[in-house]
């Protein structure tokens, strides 16, 4: 049958009576002999105070929080952003500069300067992202391969064609070097020919441009830097050098400030060699960037491979520059500093967009980007350096300056840690 419903009282004989509850015991705490005491939960207060072995001990109370730091000034934000841009942290720099812009009023004199730096940082960040996305594209690899043809020597057929082209069909490039562009039969640029002597700039040796171009090319290749191939060539009875044209490139001067800033690490790699060879002509048109985003250095014909005999202070005052280092070291170091800082100092004076752009990029260079090339240059043996110098000077009319050039290069290289670290900290540890 059906089981009896729960509850109720069981009468004698086992019958369950509905609706009746069992009587309450007279002594609720009494228990039969031999029965165990029931486990009772401790009171709520006791439970809160009793230690729990599974719970770690409470940590000591924290000291009161320090008050938030005072907001940085606009000048401090600019300085922090500049340091971040040197480290190529352009997004972080843009965030700081954005904060600085918001703190400036519409009529503040610093607003235009800070806004320009903000746009520069944002543009640099965009450029780096685009370069990262494009790096793996096949067309970028093809562009790099096409540009790298400029690293190769001229073929015999190319030289024969160039020798057959009269100077009247060559196009002047402009500048003090007297360069002429030579096009192929289809009208595409093929090479640049430059005479051995320099025009408009006093040189120590008669064939200064020939020696400087050849030496720059051979030292750069030795250091793993990207420069076009250069070789000596007599054209219409005049000695000179033939430089391969780099296809599909543009110069850094035509880029936006942010795009230039995104390439500053590659530009910095050339600075140790430029300091040692006395190449002060480092305006941004002398840096090319190919379609693969790689920077090339060109036009080293204005390099001062030797130390002039007259004091640098005379030459400096002629150009309107003043240097605190003019008389605190020997002539080699003073001249090396002047040549190193020429565009930086000229750009600070204002009035020339070329110089100002070059000075801005110089200030943003980071020493760590120079370390590899600088280390290789310092480790280059004196014997190998002498071999390179004598191998170049033998193409000049008068090989006598070889000894003077070598002594100057060795002296500048000896002072290279100081010459670099003075402007770009950490470029080359002192030895």
């Amino acid at each position: 049958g059906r089981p009896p419903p729960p509850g109720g009282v069981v009468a004698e004989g086992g019958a369950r009576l509905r609706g009746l509850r069992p009587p309450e015991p007279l002594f609720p705490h009494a228990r039969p002999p031999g029965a165990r005491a029931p486990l009772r939960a401790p009171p709520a207060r006791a439970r809160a105070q009793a230690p729990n072995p599974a719970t770690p001990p409470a940590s000591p109370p924290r000291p009161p929080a320090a008050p938030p730091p005072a907001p940085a000034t606009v000048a401090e934000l600019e300085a922090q952003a500049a340091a971040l841009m040197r480290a190529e942290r352009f997004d972080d720099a843009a965030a700081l500069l954005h904060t600085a812009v918001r703190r400036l009023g519409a009529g503040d004199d610093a607003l235009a300067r800070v806004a320009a730096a903000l746009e520069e940082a944002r543009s640099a960040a965009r450029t780096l992202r685009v370069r990262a996305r494009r790096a793996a594209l096949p067309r970028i690899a093809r562009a790099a391969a096409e540009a790298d043809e400029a690293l190769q020597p001229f073929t015999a057929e190319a030289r024969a064609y160039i020798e057959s082209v009269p100077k009247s069909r060559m196009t002047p490039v402009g500048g003090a070097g007297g360069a002429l562009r030579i096009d192929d039969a289809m009208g595409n640029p093929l090479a640049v020919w430059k005479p051995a002597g320099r025009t408009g700039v006093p040189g120590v040796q008669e064939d200064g441009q020939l020696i400087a171009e050849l030496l720059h090319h051979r030292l750069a290749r030795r250091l793993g830097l990207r420069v076009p191939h250069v070789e000596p060539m007599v054209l219409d009875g005049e000695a000179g050098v033939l430089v391969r044209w780099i296809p599909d490139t543009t110069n850094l001067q035509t880029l936006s400030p942010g795009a230039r800033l995104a390439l500053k690490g590659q530009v910095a790699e050339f600075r140790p060699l430029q300091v040692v060879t006395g190449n002060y002509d480092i305006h941004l048109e002398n840096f090319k960037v190919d379609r693969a985003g790689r920077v090339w250095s060109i036009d080293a014909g204005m390099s001062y491979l030797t130390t002039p005999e007259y004091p640098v202070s005379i030459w400096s005052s002629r150009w309107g520059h003043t240097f605190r280092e003019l008389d605190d070291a020997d002539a080699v170091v003073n001249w090396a500093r002047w040549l190193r800082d020429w565009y930086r100092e000229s750009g600070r004076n204002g009035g020339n967009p070329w110089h100002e752009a070059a000075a801005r990029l110089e200030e943003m260079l980071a020493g760590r980007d120079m370390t590899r090339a600088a280390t290789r240059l310092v480790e280059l043996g004196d014997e190998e350096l002498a071999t390179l110098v004598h191998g170049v000077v033998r193409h000049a009319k008068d090989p006598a300056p070889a000894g003077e050039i070598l002594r100057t290069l060795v002296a500048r290289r000896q002072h290279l840690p100081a010459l670099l670290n003075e402007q770009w900290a950490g470029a080359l540890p002192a030895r």
Side-chain angles (χ1 to χ4, degrees), residues 380-430:
L380 190 66
D382 289 348
E383 185 176 349
E384 184 176 359
L385 185 59
T387 301
L388 288 171
V389 170
H390 288 285
V392 165
V393 175
R394 68 183 180 87
H395 296 286
K397 295 178 182 179
D398 181 12
E404 186 180 357
I405 292 173
L406 184 59
R407 285 190 296 272
T408 300
L409 297 183
V410 170
R412 288 174 182 166
R413 188 180 62 171
Q414 180 182 355
H415 294 283
L416 190 59
L419 291 171
L420 294 180
N421 295 336
E422 284 174 350
Q423 293 289 13
W424 306 285
L428 185 61

Side-chain angles (χ1 to χ4, degrees), residues 4 36-37 73 85 99 180 185 195 214 232 235 238 244 247 252 268 307 324 330 335 360 408-409 421:
R36 295 182 179 180
T73 65
M85 286 195 284
T99 301
L180 299 173
L214 286 174
L235 195 61
E238 185 179 3
R244 285 208 62 158
L252 265 61
T307 300
R324 66 167 180 80
D330 61 25
W335 269 102
R360 172 62 178 170
T408 300
L409 297 183
N421 295 336

Side-chain angles (χ1 to χ4, degrees), residues 1 56 66 77 134 171 175 219 262 265 327 340 352 360 372:
L77 290 172
R134 296 176 55 190
T171 305
L219 279 171
D327 299 313
R340 175 197 66 191
N352 189 318
R360 172 62 178 170
R372 183 178 64 174

Side-chain angles (χ1 to χ4, degrees), residues 69-78 80 95-108 110-111 114:
T73 65
V74 171
E76 291 172 341
L77 290 172
E78 284 186 279
Q80 295 171 16
L96 292 181
L97 292 169
H98 179 69
T99 301
V101 167
R102 296 182 63 181
R103 292 183 183 177
L104 294 171
D108 200 300
L111 181 60
V114 178

Side-chain angles (χ1 to χ4, degrees), residues 41-51:
R45 179 177 298 178
R47 287 198 303 269
Q49 296 176 353

Side-chain angles (χ1 to χ4, degrees), residues 7-9 17-24:
V9 178
L17 303 179
R18 293 178 176 274
L20 299 178
R21 298 179 61 83
E24 296 290 337

Side-chain angles (χ1 to χ4, degrees), residues 152-313:
Q152 304 303 320
F154 291 93
T155 64
E157 292 79 8
R159 282 187 64 95
Y161 169 79
I162 292 170
E163 291 172 349
S164 69
V165 177
K167 283 186 178 180
S168 58
R169 286 177 48 195
M170 300 179 184
T171 305
V173 176
L180 299 173
R181 193 190 74 217
I182 305 168
D183 298 338
D184 62 17
M186 302 297 295
N188 301 311
L190 178 63
V192 169
W193 181 85
K194 305 176 77 172
R198 297 179 292 196
T199 59
V201 176
V204 177
Q205 53 277 341
E206 181 182 358
D207 297 330
Q209 185 158 246
L210 178 147
I211 297 173
E213 289 285 3
L214 286 174
L215 189 59
H216 174 258
H217 164 255
R218 297 184 184 185
L219 279 171
R221 291 295 183 86
R222 178 63 178 79
L223 302 178
L225 302 176
R226 190 173 290 106
V227 297
H229 176 77
V230 180
E231 60 186 56
M233 183 176 187
V234 176
L235 195 61
D236 288 351
E238 185 179 3
V241 289
L242 195 62
V243 185
R244 285 208 62 158
W245 186 269
I246 313 168
D248 293 323
T249 60
T250 186
N251 64 68
L252 265 61
Q253 186 68 36
T254 63
L255 303 181
S256 69
R260 291 196 293 260
L261 199 60
L263 300 170
K264 71 181 185 65
Q266 297 185 58
V267 174
E269 295 177 357
F270 295 96
R271 291 304 279 128
L273 178 58
Q274 291 165 343
V275 170
V276 168
T277 57
N279 182 11
Y280 76 95
D281 194 25
I282 57 167
H283 61 78
L284 300 186
E285 285 203 344
N286 282 342
F287 291 100
K288 299 283 189 178
V289 57
D290 60 27
R291 287 190 296 142
R294 303 173 308 168
V295 176
W296 299 65
S297 174
I298 65 168
D299 195 7
M302 308 295 282
S303 301
Y304 277 74
L305 296 175
T306 58
T307 300
E309 297 178 355
Y310 45 87
V312 66
S313 56

